[in-house]
Amino acid sequence: MSKLCCNLFVLATVCFINLFSIVLPDRTAAENDSEEMYQIEETVVTSERMLNSLFESTAAVSVRTRAEMEFLPLKNLADALSTLPGISFLNRDGLGRDPLATLRGFYGGGEAEYLLVLIDGEPINELEKGLMNWNSVSLSNISSIEFLRGGASSLYGDSAIGGVVNVVTSDEHTSLSQISASGGGFGSLGAHARSSSLWNGRRFAAFGSAERHTGFREHADRAVENLGGYLTLLKTPNGSLTVSTTHHFQQFDEPGPLTGAELDSSRSQSTPFYKFDHTDDRTHRAAVKGNYNHHTMAKFSGIVTGEIRDTNAVRTLQLSPQFADTKNRLLKASRLTSSFQLTLEQFGLPFENRLSLGIDAGLHSLSSEYHLLLVGGLADYNAMNSATRGELDEKGDSTRRSAAGFLQYELRPIQTLRLILGVRADVIGDQFTPKPPSEGEEQSTVHSEISPKAGANYRYVKTERHIGNLYANVSKSFKAPTLDQLYDQRSIVFQIPPNPPFKVLLSSGDLQPQTGTSFEAGGYHRSVLYPDLLHGELSFAAYTMDMKNELDFDLQQLKYLNIGKSRHQGIETGLRFTMKSSLNLFFNYTHQSAKSRIGEYSGKFLKAIPRNVIAGGVSGAHQSGIGGSIVIKSANNIFLDDANTMTLPNYTTVDSRLKYQFGLVSATLDVFNIFNRSYSTTGYPDASGTGNTYFYPAAGRHALASLNLQL
């Protein structure tokens, strides 16, 4: 499969080079302009919460810009991230609209997240599980994406154990308005609009989008709406003050997994157990963000964010191929978070140095209740065409209070060497109060963690044709148990005659944070291979992280537990070539090895995590207005069980985009899974011991066309 992937990539590259060869310039073009142009280094904020050159980062960071995404076949933010090294996505709906992230050997299985996602610096992971709703960010509203890989608790605290994504939506220098409409296979329809400009001298932007999909599988309808905007209230040479708001509405059905026999019968079916599974989610968020620069010596920034969310979800737990439990959850979540940071330049030493100090705080509240809906076998589900919410089964309120202080010191003892020392202290207090009819006593717990980091970046070359940096870091990261892992009142009733029925809760109030110590080394190198014609860029990273008290769901006990230790190791590489900014080639290879280090399965690979991931592509634009791309992705060596006896078949997909720009109007045609491969991206064995395996099948070939007008 890997050989096929490489052959397809080479073939696509040759075709694109031939197609766009006319745009290549005269070989006698002047060198100076090219060298100066290409040696401009991108600046990033996410890696160290301070503006810094990408190449001088002490961690693995990748950037994807709006211009780069313009020619790639993408459905959502997850698709854009999957073209970068170090991350891949599994999906449960078959179309990639319900993706699950895997990175550095971490995979939450849809019940937890190991990736912290920010929108312009605001955390947006869901409160109860920490999951990311990938449909809440419209591609048309993205200016750039910064992706920091590896543990980042020294700056971001809890959940930043696998990586951090920061989506930048604001563009202070661009005024534009655009509208687009799209349609395609499996009932896909969409409309997007965005406008940004100046209003009475103040920068503003507004956006809105709506999408509908009937889905590849039965019972997989999805409807998503997003709207929002921002307004700069104050803008001076020394600072600014901005308010923003976003609103997200989503309704979707869940088709559930299929056994191998069901998969052979029909890949698009949904079993009767999941016929009532449906989620209605509404999220409203507002933020105030400001910054102030006192000359060039001190910079202050702060953000305060408020969020409320209402969710009405019907969800089934399939306990065996012949038995399931379906309940209706009503959830209300709210949070108020704040973050303030002070950065001091040239802090008391004769050489370059910076000191950054900050505090983060949050107040989170969650109210949850479960209602009975249906429990039984296939005959019971087949007999019902509709389901009405039943009596209240469980109810409770939980809160989380968090506070943290962090500092990071940067110094340059010599011009080519940059050193970073940082530490963060987190305190997280959780409390749960059961409400009738739930029984039990009030629970509370307090967790505190110290997360240090030390890093170095050395520039080994800087000439007119080459820029190269090496870096290394050591850090400690942690992930606190989520509120659902601690206090979720979803229960399952068992009866083993002649004993009376007994109830099992999935949550566990005595969970401890999982912690990890990581070592990482890597580098960046950029070259002008041929002046004004061909440029190349290489990034690479190698890491190892030892985890303790790993949080996981025990299928045998049907309970969240701290189940042991693991070691996560891997290599991430990214290679990119650019020809006169008109033809771009990229190739990423990710190897991740995550193994248990305790118990019966010590030395075995953790389940559901692809050990090898390849992503490559070629994109280009012709002066006539024609452009496009071909993108190839491959994942292999995925075990589905703890004993490593079952594997998921390897899979490779090929997607493409064709774009034509004529004046202010552009038209695109995306074709996904061009070769109509039948595959599944994830699965799991039946916990009841029947020997069955469940799979989530992916869609075959399908297309999506769109028309865009830019004003």
Side-chain angles (χ1 to χ4, degrees):
M1 192 65 68
S2 298
K3 183 178 179 180
L4 173 62
C5 180
C6 292
N7 289 340
L8 288 171
F9 180 73
V10 171
L11 177 61
T13 301
V14 172
C15 292
F16 263 73
I17 290 175
N18 289 332
L19 179 62
F20 294 105
S21 60
I22 191 172
V23 305
L24 300 182
D26 189 335
R27 297 165 67 99
T28 61
E31 295 186 9
N32 292 338
D33 291 343
S34 167
E35 294 163 1
E36 184 177 350
M37 173 194 71
Y38 198 70
Q39 289 191 14
I40 296 175
E41 297 178 52
E42 297 93 336
T43 57
V44 293
V45 177
T46 311
S47 60
E48 278 139 15
R49 289 182 76 155
M50 297 184 292
L51 190 64
N52 192 65
S53 163
L54 169 64
F55 276 27
E56 292 186 336
S57 169
T58 59
V61 186
S62 300
V63 176
R64 184 66 79 204
T65 66
R66 176 186 293 164
E68 293 170 337
M69 292 186 287
E70 182 180 353
F71 293 98
L72 297 176
L74 307 175
K75 294 178 181 176
N76 51 29
L77 172 60
D79 275 353
L81 285 169
S82 67
T83 64
L84 298 174
I87 188 169
S88 61
F89 290 87
L90 317 177
N91 75 80
R92 294 178 296 186
D93 73 326
L95 282 178
R97 305 287 179 180
D98 189 18
L100 305 173
T102 67
L103 69 165
R104 297 216 161 177
F106 294 104
Y107 171 57
E111 301 301 326
E113 195 77 87
Y114 291 87
L115 179 67
L116 177 65
V117 182
L118 313 171
I119 300 292
D120 296 321
E122 306 171 36
I124 62 170
N125 296 66
E126 294 177 354
L127 173 58
E128 69 276 15
K129 298 178 184 294
L131 295 177
M132 171 58 191
N133 179 357
W134 298 100
N135 298 296
S136 64
V137 183
S138 174
L139 280 175
S140 62
N141 196 39
I142 297 177
S143 176
S144 65
I145 304 168
E146 297 179 10
F147 176 34
L148 167 65
R149 307 190 297 277
S153 292
S154 65
L155 287 174
Y156 295 97
D158 173 43
S159 296
I161 200 165
V164 180
V165 170
N166 185 34
V167 178
V168 180
T169 64
S170 59
D171 190 339
E172 294 292 327
H173 307 290
T174 302
S175 296
L176 61 87
S177 295
Q178 58 183 19
I179 56 174
S180 64
S182 61
F186 304 117
S188 294
L189 294 172
H192 305 262
R194 175 181 171 84
S195 179
S196 62
S197 187
L198 291 175
W199 178 64
N200 289 337
R202 297 180 175 91
R203 174 69 60 178
F204 82 91
F207 66 89
S209 64
E211 295 182 4
R212 300 288 187 275
H213 313 279
T214 58
F216 152 63
R217 298 178 58 194
E218 299 172 359
H219 193 66
D221 291 2
R222 185 178 296 268
V224 179
E225 292 92 31
N226 292 295
L227 60 92
Y230 71 86
L231 173 65
T232 300
L233 298 178
L234 178 66
K235 182 71 173 179
T236 70
N238 293 329
S240 64
L241 183 66
T242 302
V243 295
S244 63
T245 181
T246 58
H247 307 271
H248 171 72
F249 310 89
Q250 180 173 232
Q251 298 182 52
F252 61 93
D253 299 328
E254 293 187 71
L258 298 174
T259 64
E262 292 168 338
L263 200 66
D264 293 337
S265 172
S266 172
R267 296 178 57 80
S268 62
Q269 68 174 308
S270 175
T271 64
F273 286 132
Y274 297 90
K275 64 194 299 183
F276 305 118
D277 282 33
H278 177 82
T279 297
D280 188 343
D281 186 89
R282 300 163 182 261
T283 304
H284 307 277
R285 186 181 300 112
V288 179
K289 181 190 303 184
N291 63 79
Y292 176 74
N293 300 333
H294 182 66
H295 303 295
T296 59
M297 301 295 293
K299 300 178 181 179
F300 176 80
S301 63
I303 183 171
V304 177
T305 304
E307 178 186 293
I308 57 174
R309 182 164 62 90
D310 291 289
T311 301
N312 182 347
V314 174
R315 190 179 181 194
T316 295
L317 293 179
Q318 188 171 351
L319 304 176
S320 78
Q322 302 298 324
F323 191 83
D325 183 337
T326 301
K327 286 187 171 68
N328 183 193
R329 186 184 195 184
L330 303 179
L331 181 146
K332 293 183 180 294
S334 63
R335 60 182 168 190
L336 180 66
T337 61
S338 62
S339 179
F340 301 96
Q341 184 172 341
L342 175 65
T343 302
L344 303 173
E345 305 275 353
Q346 291 301 113
F347 187 68
L349 290 175
F351 47 78
E352 290 185 40
N353 64 107
R354 285 191 295 183
L355 177 66
S356 179
L357 308 95
I359 56 173
D360 294 337
L363 176 61
H364 317 262
S365 177
L366 187 68
S367 177
S368 174
E369 57 184 63
Y370 282 97
H371 292 257
L372 299 175
L373 199 70
L374 183 59
V375 59
L378 278 172
D380 300 298
Y381 281 81
N382 281 321
M384 295 188 65
N385 294 321
S386 62
T388 304
R389 182 187 304 155
E391 64 181 69
L392 182 63
D393 184 49
E394 303 283 356
K395 185 176 181 179
D397 296 336
S398 55
T399 60
R400 168 164 288 183
R401 294 175 172 86
S402 60
F406 64 90
L407 64 87
Q408 182 164 275
Y409 184 55
E410 170 196 340
L411 65 156
R412 293 178 183 270
I414 57 177
Q415 192 61 35
T416 57
L417 180 63
R418 181 171 180 263
L419 304 176
I420 289 287
L421 297 173
V423 66
R424 176 179 169 121
D426 282 87
V427 178
I428 299 174
D430 299 321
Q431 186 172 1
F432 173 74
T433 304
K435 303 289 184 179
S438 292
E439 301 176 350
E441 299 180 351
E442 184 176 291
Q443 303 177 57
S444 63
T445 184
V446 176
H447 297 127
S448 59
E449 294 291 336
I450 302 294
S451 306
K453 175 185 176 179
N457 182 294
Y458 175 69
R459 174 154 288 180
Y460 61 85
V461 64
K462 184 176 183 181
T463 67
E464 291 183 344
R465 302 282 290 271
H466 298 277
I467 297 176
N469 291 63
L470 298 174
Y471 68 85
N473 70 70
V474 56
S475 64
K476 183 179 179 182
S477 297
F478 79 101
K479 184 184 187 310
T482 67
L483 287 177
D484 266 9
Q485 289 173 330
L486 287 166
Y487 307 127
D488 184 18
Q489 294 297 287
R490 171 113 195 205
S491 61
I492 301 174
V493 176
F494 292 94
Q495 184 171 10
I496 305 176
N499 300 314
F502 63 95
K503 183 180 293 187
V504 174
L505 288 178
L506 306 183
S507 58
S508 179
D510 58 357
L511 294 173
Q512 298 298 311
Q514 65 182 76
T515 60
T517 301
S518 67
F519 300 88
E520 179 183 339
Y524 305 93
H525 191 99
R526 178 174 290 175
S527 298
V528 178
L529 300 174
Y530 196 94
D532 204 29
L533 176 61
L534 180 62
H535 313 108
E537 182 176 314
L538 171 67
S539 65
F540 58 93
Y543 64 88
T544 181
M545 175 182 281
D546 288 337
M547 299 297 304
K548 297 180 180 179
N549 291 326
E550 193 131 16
L551 293 160
D552 200 357
F553 188 74
D554 190 316
L555 289 173
Q556 302 302 318
Q557 300 186 49
L558 292 177
K559 204 174 190 65
Y560 288 103
L561 298 172
N562 292 106
I563 61 172
K565 302 178 181 180
S566 63
R567 173 166 290 173
H568 298 242
Q569 296 177 310
I571 299 172
E572 301 160 347
T573 61
L575 183 62
R576 184 169 65 173
F577 294 100
T578 302
M579 293 185 179
K580 192 54 179 179
S581 302
S582 298
L583 186 65
N584 297 281
L585 297 89
F586 73 91
F587 183 85
N588 305 324
Y589 172 71
T590 300
H591 172 75
Q592 49 190 351
S593 169
K595 293 183 178 181
S596 173
R597 300 184 65 201
I598 195 171
E600 178 184 359
Y601 301 115
S602 179
K604 301 293 186 179
F605 291 99
L606 302 187
K607 57 182 178 290
I609 298 169
R611 276 184 286 156
N612 298 293
V613 177
I614 294 173
V618 53
S619 64
H622 190 272
Q623 58 191 9
S624 65
I626 298 177
S629 65
I630 295 177
V631 175
I632 301 171
K633 300 174 185 175
S634 176
N636 57 65
N637 298 113
I638 306 171
F639 288 111
L640 297 181
D641 63 330
D642 293 317
N644 292 179
T645 60
M646 294 181 289
T647 58
L648 186 77
N650 302 336
Y651 59 90
T652 298
T653 60
V654 182
D655 307 324
S656 70
R657 166 168 288 189
L658 181 64
K659 180 174 182 177
Y660 181 54
Q661 181 84 37
F662 44 102
L664 300 177
V665 179
S666 63
T668 63
L669 175 64
D670 294 338
V671 181
F672 301 95
N673 194 3
I674 290 176
F675 296 106
N676 201 29
R677 302 297 188 194
S678 296
Y679 67 100
S680 299
T681 62
T682 189
Y684 62 92
D686 177 31
S688 67
T690 63
N692 283 280
T693 303
Y694 298 102
F695 299 94
Y696 288 92
R701 180 173 49 244
H702 57 287
L704 184 67
S706 65
L707 193 65
N708 179 280
L709 173 63
Q710 183 169 310
L711 305 175

